[in-house]
Coordinates of all heavy atoms in Angstrom, one line a residue:
V1 N 0.8 -1.2 0.0 CA 0.0 0.0 0.0 C 0.9 1.3 0.0 O 1.8 1.4 0.8 CB -1.0 0.0 1.2 CG1 -1.6 1.4 1.4 CG2 -2.0 -1.1 1.1
K2 N 0.5 2.2 -0.9 CA 1.3 3.4 -1.0 C 0.5 4.7 -0.7 O 1.0 5.8 -0.7 CB 1.9 3.6 -2.4 CG 2.7 2.4 -2.9 CD 4.0 2.3 -2.0 CE 5.0 3.3 -2.3 NZ 6.3 3.1 -1.5
G3 N -0.8 4.6 -0.5 CA -1.6 5.7 -0.3 C -3.0 5.4 0.2 O -3.5 4.3 0.0
F4 N -3.6 6.4 1.0 CA -4.9 6.3 1.5 C -5.6 7.6 1.4 O -5.0 8.7 1.7 CB -4.8 5.9 3.0 CG -6.1 5.9 3.8 CD1 -7.1 4.9 3.7 CD2 -6.4 7.1 4.6 CE1 -8.2 5.0 4.4 CE2 -7.6 7.1 5.3 CZ -8.5 6.1 5.2
E5 N -6.9 7.6 1.0 CA -7.7 8.9 1.0 C -9.1 8.5 1.4 O -9.6 7.4 1.0 CB -7.6 9.6 -0.3 CG -8.2 8.9 -1.5 CD -8.2 9.7 -2.8 OE1 -7.8 10.9 -2.7 OE2 -8.6 9.1 -3.8
Y6 N -9.8 9.3 2.1 CA -11.2 9.0 2.5 C -12.1 10.2 2.1 O -11.6 11.4 1.9 CB -11.3 8.7 4.0 CG -11.3 9.9 4.9 CD1 -12.4 10.5 5.4 CD2 -10.1 10.5 5.2 CE1 -12.4 11.6 6.2 CE2 -10.0 11.6 6.0 CZ -11.2 12.2 6.5 OH -11.1 13.3 7.3
G7 N -13.4 9.9 1.9 CA -14.3 11.0 1.5 C -13.9 11.5 0.1 O -13.5 10.8 -0.8
S8 N -13.9 12.9 0.0 CA -13.6 13.5 -1.3 C -12.1 13.4 -1.6 O -11.6 13.6 -2.7 CB -14.0 15.0 -1.2 OG -13.3 15.7 -0.2
G9 N -11.3 13.1 -0.6 CA -9.8 12.9 -0.8 C -9.1 14.1 -1.5 O -9.5 15.2 -1.3
F10 N -8.2 13.7 -2.4 CA -7.4 14.7 -3.1 C -8.3 15.5 -4.1 O -8.0 16.7 -4.4 CB -6.2 14.1 -3.8 CG -5.2 13.7 -2.8 CD1 -5.0 12.3 -2.5 CD2 -4.3 14.6 -2.3 CE1 -4.1 11.9 -1.6 CE2 -3.3 14.2 -1.4 CZ -3.2 12.8 -1.0
E11 N -9.4 14.9 -4.6 CA -10.2 15.6 -5.5 C -11.0 16.7 -4.8 O -11.3 17.7 -5.4 CB -11.3 14.6 -6.1 CG -10.7 13.6 -7.1 CD -10.1 14.3 -8.3 OE1 -10.8 15.2 -8.9 OE2 -9.0 14.0 -8.7
G12 N -11.2 16.6 -3.5 CA -11.9 17.6 -2.8 C -11.1 18.9 -2.7 O -11.7 20.0 -2.5
T13 N -9.8 18.9 -3.0 CA -9.0 20.1 -3.0 C -9.4 21.0 -4.1 O -9.0 22.2 -4.1 CB -7.5 19.8 -3.1 OG1 -7.2 19.1 -4.3 CG2 -7.1 18.9 -1.9
K14 N -10.1 20.5 -5.1 CA -10.5 21.3 -6.3 C -11.8 22.1 -6.1 O -12.1 22.9 -6.9 CB -10.6 20.4 -7.5 CG -9.4 19.6 -7.9 CD -9.6 18.6 -9.0 CE -8.4 17.7 -9.3 NZ -8.6 16.7 -10.3
L15 N -12.4 21.8 -5.0 CA -13.7 22.5 -4.7 C -13.5 23.6 -3.7 O -12.6 23.7 -3.0 CB -14.7 21.5 -4.0 CG -15.0 20.2 -4.8 CD1 -15.9 19.3 -4.0 CD2 -15.6 20.5 -6.1
S16 N -14.5 24.6 -3.8 CA -14.5 25.7 -2.8 C -15.2 25.2 -1.6 O -15.9 24.1 -1.6 CB -15.3 26.9 -3.4 OG -16.6 26.5 -3.6
G17 N -15.0 25.9 -0.5 CA -15.6 25.5 0.8 C -17.2 25.4 0.7 O -17.8 24.5 1.3
S18 N -17.8 26.3 0.0 CA -19.2 26.3 -0.2 C -19.7 25.1 -1.0 O -20.8 24.6 -0.8 CB -19.7 27.6 -0.9 OG -19.1 27.7 -2.1
Q19 N -18.8 24.6 -1.9 CA -19.2 23.4 -2.6 C -18.9 22.1 -1.8 O -19.6 21.1 -2.0 CB -18.4 23.3 -3.9 CG -18.7 24.4 -4.9 CD -17.7 24.4 -6.1 OE1 -16.4 24.3 -5.9 NE2 -18.2 24.4 -7.3
H20 N -17.9 22.2 -1.0 CA -17.5 21.0 -0.3 C -18.3 20.7 1.0 O -18.4 19.5 1.4 CB -16.0 21.1 0.1 CG -15.4 19.8 0.5 ND1 -15.3 19.4 1.8 CD2 -14.7 18.8 -0.2 CE1 -14.7 18.3 1.9 NE2 -14.3 17.9 0.7
N21 N -18.8 21.7 1.7 CA -19.5 21.5 2.9 C -20.7 20.6 2.8 O -21.5 20.7 1.9 CB -20.0 22.9 3.5 CG -18.9 23.6 4.2 OD1 -17.8 23.1 4.4 ND2 -19.2 24.8 4.6
D22 N -20.8 19.7 3.8 CA -22.0 18.7 3.8 C -23.0 19.4 4.7 O -22.9 19.4 5.9 CB -21.5 17.4 4.4 CG -20.5 16.7 3.5 OD1 -20.7 16.7 2.2 OD2 -19.6 16.1 4.0
V23 N -24.1 19.9 4.0 CA -25.2 20.6 4.7 C -26.1 19.6 5.5 O -26.4 18.5 4.9 CB -26.0 21.4 3.7 CG1 -27.2 22.0 4.4 CG2 -25.2 22.4 3.0
F24 N -26.4 19.9 6.8 CA -27.2 19.0 7.5 C -28.7 19.2 7.1 O -29.1 20.3 6.9 CB -27.1 19.3 9.0 CG -25.7 18.8 9.6 CD1 -24.7 19.7 9.9 CD2 -25.5 17.4 9.8 CE1 -23.5 19.3 10.4 CE2 -24.3 17.0 10.3 CZ -23.3 17.9 10.6
I25 N -29.4 18.1 7.1 CA -30.8 18.1 6.8 C -31.6 17.2 7.7 O -31.0 16.3 8.3 CB -31.1 17.7 5.3 CG1 -30.6 16.3 5.0 CG2 -30.6 18.8 4.3 CD1 -30.9 15.8 3.7
Q26 N -32.9 17.5 8.0 CA -33.7 16.6 8.8 C -34.5 15.7 7.9 O -35.1 16.0 6.9 CB -34.7 17.5 9.6 CG -35.6 16.7 10.5 CD -34.8 16.1 11.7 OE1 -34.0 16.7 12.3 NE2 -35.0 14.8 11.9
T27 N -34.4 14.4 8.2 CA -35.1 13.4 7.5 C -35.9 12.5 8.4 O -35.8 12.6 9.6 CB -34.1 12.5 6.7 OG1 -33.4 11.6 7.6 CG2 -33.1 13.3 5.9
E28 N -36.6 11.5 7.8 CA -37.4 10.6 8.6 C -36.5 9.7 9.5 O -36.9 9.2 10.5 CB -38.2 9.7 7.7 CG -39.3 10.4 7.0 CD -40.1 9.5 6.1 OE1 -39.7 8.3 6.0 OE2 -41.1 9.9 5.5
K29 N -35.2 9.6 9.1 CA -34.2 8.8 9.8 C -33.4 9.6 10.8 O -32.5 9.1 11.4 CB -33.3 8.0 8.8 CG -34.0 7.0 7.9 CD -33.0 6.3 7.0 CE -33.8 5.3 6.1 NZ -32.8 4.6 5.2
G30 N -33.8 10.9 10.9 CA -33.1 11.8 11.8 C -32.2 12.7 11.0 O -32.4 13.0 9.8
I31 N -31.2 13.3 11.7 CA -30.3 14.2 11.0 C -29.3 13.5 10.1 O -28.7 12.5 10.5 CB -29.4 15.0 12.1 CG1 -30.4 15.9 12.9 CG2 -28.4 15.9 11.4 CD1 -29.7 16.6 14.1

C-alpha cells in the first residue's frame, strides 16, 4: 500500500468550501 484517502480525498481540494461543505438536513431517519 502506497496511499490512503477518504471521502472527497485529493479531488476535494479542487472544490471551494461552499461546494465541499456537507449541509445537515432533517429526514425521517433523523439528522
Side-chain angles (χ1 to χ4, degrees):
V1 168
K2 302 298 286 186
F4 169 83
E5 63 174 359
Y6 76 102
S8 62
F10 289 102
E11 288 298 311
T13 63
K14 302 174 184 178
L15 302 177
S16 63
S18 58
Q19 293 172 311
H20 193 271
N21 279 354
D22 294 319
V23 176
F24 289 107
I25 56 174
Q26 183 65 47
T27 71
E28 293 180 355
K29 297 181 180 180
I31 296 177

